[in-house]
Amino acid sequence: MSTPEMEYSIQEASELLGIPIQKLRRWDVQGVLVALRTSGGHRRYAKELINRLATSSTGPGSDKQSQELATVKRSLAEKRRIIQLLLESENRYRDLVETSHDLIWVTDAQGRFTYLNNAAHDIFGLAPKDMIGRCFFDFESGPSFISNRRFLATLKRAGEIKNYVTRLVSTSGDDRWLGINARITTDENNDMLGIRGTARDITEQHLATLRIEHLALHDVLTDLPNRHSLQRRIESSMQEGSVGALLFLDIDHFKYVNDNFGHRSGDLLIMGIGSALRDMMRNRNGELYRLGGDEFAIHLPEGLRKEAVDTAETALDTVRQYRFHASEQKVVANLTASIGIALYPFHGSDLPALLSNVDIAMYQAKDLGRNRHMLFDQSTDSLRGTHQRIHWAKKLRDALDEDRLVLFSQPVVQLKDQKPVHHEILVRIRDGSGNFILPTHFIELGESLGLVQEIDMRVVEKLLQFMAENGQNRKKLRYFVNISRVSFSDQHWIERLIRLLRASRVNPSQLVFEITESAAMAEIDATMTFIKKLRDIGCRFALDNFGAGFSSFYYLKRLEVDYLKIDSRFIRDLVTDEGSRIFVKAVNDVARGLNKQVVAEGVESAEVVKLLLEMGAQFGQGYLFQRPQLIGGATEDLAPAISQSAG
């Protein structure tokens, strides 16, 4: 122990060493020459040290001592720097660990936590200090019991595991999905000391993945399993060599609800029927699916004919008893359905054959009057018509989806000089071989399959686009476009058409909508409504195939059409048939009195032109003047051959 007699004050040390007091104080702080402190805080230096330094600083070895002092100083400074870096590194590490959203944890050899960062609270619902001594298994969900034991066994065997997913339950009862990385720590004898690792809460991502997988196999509207799910289920059953029954159910006249109450009501109807069918299936050994649109499917594993027929009859009764409240005042009742039944492997030993045959059976039920079920009938006569219907349904749908509707045009000429004044638009379908299919092969089927409205709208869209892109909207030409009865009888379709016309850059007076005489007479009120709405925005009208069916001169006064197009059968027989000449002459006379223009269709000879001029006809259309040609392209003769078959 030093005593005052063995010590110098800072002033005495300064004098003996010849060093300013301020420098001694700096050396003290820097650790170069550390002073002792009295109880009052005064610096004291050991006399032995100061005397030796004083002697060496004035003696022969002063340079050597200075070098030793400099070396001591550098060594102390380096140690302080390293210690400071270590402290900073530890602080950074601690900050990163404690602020990390990932759980960082350490356990002992028994798997009990010895350290956790603050993320423990977010995952387990407990503070880190309350987790010490517990383990992952204290929070595991029941279904995770076996997999977690397997995880621990694998970890001990491999020493490390990455991206292991497990399910835990927090103290609040919430499910948590964790992705864990872990590594075993060992001593020098390779004995296990514990485990350390990280864990990330992947609950949101995991639930999103499960949701995506669910959506891939379920219908969004009804949450029923979808077509893909059905196909997987039946393929699995077939691979196992099982038997079963498949039913396709289609709501009859579903389009009526969509057209009269809107698509939202249509969706609600599908949801309601889906719920009713789901309740019906609760006590049955079967599965309900929604295939899309108004189509459902029922799969009966191990089901045979009797069970399939009984299920079909119950399903039909369920639909008949369902009441749909379309609005506060409107209740849709008396709904019916058509059901097709096919048994596997008897009606199809593979999935495509089974699906095709149950679809055929459903169409057979519709063709026989709807509101019934039909077991697949393999007789040739029964299949032929249904196969054609299904063939065209797919063919038309594919043509629309793949944009293979093509527009042709044929000029309407002024008979006196045979110069084109207008054009009639004709639609064709380009098939896979590049051939063109005539509308006589698909328009009627399009009406029965519910696709003709989309065909009509697509034709108008294509025409408007052509007119706008080619400057036709600045010319005086008019374009005649055929509109089906199904389309102009639908008020929602008319509203779509009006919106389309108003959004286009085309002058509405250039458009002449053609309605066949038979369609106009069959839907006289709808025809008059359609004509009025479209005339209000400037469009014109033609009564097509006049004289073909219900010709009535009386209705000409009520129908505000601008053109009468005389059916080609009268024009072709004009030279040889007196009756045709009388009729055509009468039409021209009446049209002139009603201030309507007449177009003679199917003109193919100069003799017919001569007779038409004598009768006062002004306009004609037919192969004599020009064959139909692609809009802006070659004539029909130069285009690929037109297919004459329905296949």
Side-chain angles (χ1 to χ4, degrees):
M1 176 180 295
S2 63
T3 62
E5 292 77 17
M6 301 170 63
E7 297 172 349
Y8 287 126
S9 68
I10 190 170
Q11 291 85 358
E12 291 170 334
S14 172
E15 291 175 1
L16 287 170
L17 295 174
I19 297 172
I21 291 176
Q22 291 82 357
K23 190 169 185 179
L24 283 177
R25 286 174 178 163
R26 276 201 309 277
W27 281 7
D28 182 25
V29 173
Q30 294 171 352
V32 176
L33 184 61
V34 179
L36 303 175
R37 297 294 180 102
T38 67
S39 58
H42 299 292
R43 292 178 173 82
R44 290 284 187 266
Y45 295 88
K47 285 185 176 181
E48 181 182 355
L49 174 63
I50 297 300
N51 290 335
R52 189 169 68 250
L53 290 174
T55 302
S56 62
S57 63
T58 57
S62 60
D63 290 341
K64 181 179 179 182
Q65 189 65 35
S66 297
Q67 290 175 0
E68 290 177 355
L69 283 173
T71 301
V72 169
K73 179 179 178 181
R74 286 195 298 271
S75 176
L76 290 172
E78 182 64 17
K79 288 179 181 178
R80 284 198 304 276
R81 188 181 70 82
I82 292 172
I83 291 171
Q84 184 64 31
L85 289 175
L86 289 173
L87 289 173
E88 290 176 358
S89 176
E90 182 179 353
N91 289 334
R92 280 198 303 271
Y93 171 77
R94 187 173 298 279
D95 289 342
L96 290 172
V97 167
E98 294 303 330
T99 59
S100 173
H101 292 294
D102 289 349
L103 176 68
I104 298 173
W105 52 273
V106 180
T107 75
D108 59 18
Q110 285 71 45
R112 295 186 295 261
F113 291 122
T114 58
Y115 170 80
L116 303 96
N117 68 344
N118 290 328
H121 187 275
D122 295 332
I123 292 176
F124 298 102
L126 293 173
K129 63 183 179 62
D130 297 325
M131 292 287 296
I132 302 301
R134 306 186 70 170
C135 64
F136 277 117
F137 296 150
D138 293 342
F139 301 89
E140 70 184 354
S141 174
S144 302
F145 177 83
I146 295 177
S147 64
N148 283 345
R149 266 60 183 176
R150 189 180 300 119
F151 160 74
L152 191 57
T154 304
L155 178 61
K156 289 181 177 179
R157 184 174 62 254
E160 183 177 10
I161 285 185
K162 292 184 178 180
N163 302 319
Y164 174 78
V165 177
T166 189
R167 179 181 175 188
L168 303 178
V169 180
S170 70
T171 55
S172 61
D174 296 330
D175 280 345
R176 289 282 186 270
W177 292 90
L178 298 185
I180 300 178
N181 297 321
R183 176 180 293 174
I184 286 179
T185 58
T186 59
D187 59 17
E188 62 274 8
N189 298 320
N190 211 30
D191 293 328
M192 180 174 170
L193 292 176
I195 309 170
R196 60 188 173 202
T198 62
R200 175 169 294 183
D201 187 342
I202 58 170
T203 304
E204 289 188 8
Q205 301 95 307
H206 186 78
L207 293 179
T209 300
L210 293 178
R211 179 62 178 161
I212 291 170
E213 291 175 355
H214 181 85
L215 289 174
L217 296 173
H218 288 75
D219 170 56
V220 176
L221 190 62
T222 63
D223 203 39
L224 289 169
N226 59 16
R227 183 184 292 271
H228 183 59
S229 182
L230 171 67
Q231 291 174 349
R232 288 175 55 172
R233 177 71 176 87
I234 293 181
E235 280 183 332
S236 175
S237 185
M238 285 181 162
Q239 288 170 1
E240 294 170 359
S242 303
V243 299
L246 180 61
L247 289 68
F248 274 9
L249 182 151
D250 187 89
I251 308 301
D252 295 330
H253 305 296
F254 173 71
K255 187 174 181 295
Y256 170 83
V257 177
N258 266 344
D259 291 348
N260 289 275
F261 302 104
H263 291 285
R264 175 57 182 161
S265 292
D267 288 346
L268 293 174
L269 172 61
I270 292 298
M271 293 167 65
I273 290 179
S275 179
L277 291 173
R278 185 189 280 113
D279 290 341
M280 180 205 84
M281 292 298 297
R282 290 193 193 281
N283 299 321
R284 293 178 178 269
N285 180 30
E287 305 138 2
L288 177 66
Y289 300 80
R290 187 195 175 206
L291 306 182
D294 57 343
E295 235 179 290
F296 294 85
I298 297 173
H299 176 225
L300 302 174
E302 305 300 327
L304 295 175
R305 176 171 180 161
K306 184 180 183 304
E307 184 182 353
V309 169
D310 177 61
T311 301
E313 290 176 349
T314 305
L316 289 175
D317 192 52
T318 299
V319 174
R320 282 192 290 262
Q321 292 180 19
Y322 181 73
R323 299 291 180 270
F324 174 62
H325 293 269
S327 64
E328 292 183 3
Q329 297 80 22
K330 291 281 187 179
V331 177
V332 178
N334 303 317
L335 289 166
T336 61
S338 300
I339 298 179
I341 305 171
L343 310 175
Y344 63 87
F346 317 106
H347 298 148
S349 57
D350 56 56
L351 182 63
L354 181 69
L355 294 179
S356 175
N357 290 339
V358 73
D359 209 33
I360 288 171
M362 186 185 71
Y363 277 112
Q364 288 173 334
K366 284 190 175 294
D367 291 340
L368 289 173
R370 296 180 169 85
N371 190 26
R372 68 191 66 223
H373 60 78
M374 187 75 184
L375 185 68
F376 174 67
D377 184 355
Q378 293 176 299
S379 65
T380 304
D381 291 340
S382 175
L383 289 179
R384 185 178 293 111
T386 310
H387 267 304
Q388 185 183 31
R389 183 185 178 91
I390 294 173
H391 165 79
W392 272 103
K394 184 177 187 307
K395 199 178 189 76
L396 287 178
R397 186 71 264 169
D398 288 348
L400 288 166
D401 292 343
E402 297 168 10
D403 195 24
R404 288 191 282 104
L405 260 61
V406 181
L407 300 190
F408 279 68
S409 70
Q410 188 177 35
V412 174
V413 306
Q414 193 165 261
L415 289 175
K416 63 180 181 181
D417 56 13
Q418 299 187 14
K419 289 184 177 179
V421 289
H422 308 308
H423 288 275
E424 179 176 358
I425 298 302
L426 308 167
V427 64
R428 309 280 193 260
I429 290 177
R430 192 193 301 272
D431 67 16
S433 303
N435 298 322
F436 296 109
I437 303 172
L438 294 170
T440 51
H441 296 308
F442 62 82
I443 289 297
E444 187 175 344
L445 274 168
E447 290 183 352
S448 66
L449 293 169
L451 295 174
V452 74
Q453 289 182 319
E454 191 168 351
I455 293 173
D456 285 348
M457 190 64 70
R458 194 73 62 86
V459 169
V460 176
E461 288 174 346
K462 284 180 172 290
L463 174 60
L464 294 177
Q465 182 180 359
F466 165 77
M467 293 174 68
E469 291 178 354
N470 293 273
Q472 301 298 316
N473 54 329
R474 296 190 296 273
K475 299 180 180 179
K476 294 183 179 180
L477 282 176
R478 288 188 180 137
Y479 292 88
F480 288 63
V481 183
N482 290 277
I483 301 295
S484 72
R485 177 183 59 82
V486 177
S487 296
F488 73 71
S489 300
D490 183 343
Q491 296 305 309
H492 295 290
W493 187 91
I494 295 173
E495 293 304 321
R496 280 182 61 200
L497 176 63
I498 292 174
R499 288 195 298 270
L500 177 64
L501 295 176
R502 284 176 173 163
S504 73
R505 294 175 288 161
V506 171
N507 182 353
S509 66
Q510 288 185 265
L511 298 175
V512 181
F513 291 111
E514 293 190 24
I515 303 172
T516 62
E517 180 195 24
S518 57
M521 295 303 110
E523 299 275 359
I524 187 67
D525 291 333
T527 303
M528 294 174 67
T529 300
F530 178 51
I531 290 175
K532 182 180 185 310
K533 286 188 174 182
L534 272 296
R535 286 189 75 88
D536 286 346
I537 64 172
C539 298
R540 299 172 184 265
F541 284 86
L543 198 59
D544 194 20
N545 296 344
F546 190 74
F550 300 94
S551 59
S552 169
F553 288 99
Y554 168 74
Y555 278 113
L556 287 179
K557 293 189 295 182
R558 298 183 60 193
L559 294 172
E560 295 185 63
V561 298
D562 303 276
Y563 300 89
L564 298 179
K565 301 189 76 175
I566 303 176
D567 188 80
S568 59
R569 284 173 289 183
F570 292 100
I571 304 303
R572 280 197 297 267
D573 297 338
L574 204 59
V575 176
T576 58
D577 184 70
E578 180 67 21
S580 294
R581 289 196 293 273
I582 293 173
F583 177 79
V584 173
K585 178 69 166 63
V587 170
N588 275 284
D589 291 342
V590 171
R592 193 161 38 249
L594 296 175
N595 196 30
K596 302 181 189 300
Q597 297 178 340
V598 175
V599 178
E601 295 185 297
V603 179
E604 297 181 358
S605 69
E607 292 87 346
V608 169
V609 173
K610 183 173 181 297
L611 288 172
L612 288 170
L613 287 170
E614 291 172 357
M615 295 175 184
Q618 292 180 287
F619 304 103
Q621 179 181 349
Y623 282 5
L624 176 66
F625 312 117
Q626 185 175 298
R627 298 178 68 87
Q629 67 176 17
L630 280 164
I631 284 189
T635 63
E636 198 170 63
D637 286 334
L638 299 178
I642 297 178
S643 171
Q644 297 294 334
S645 67

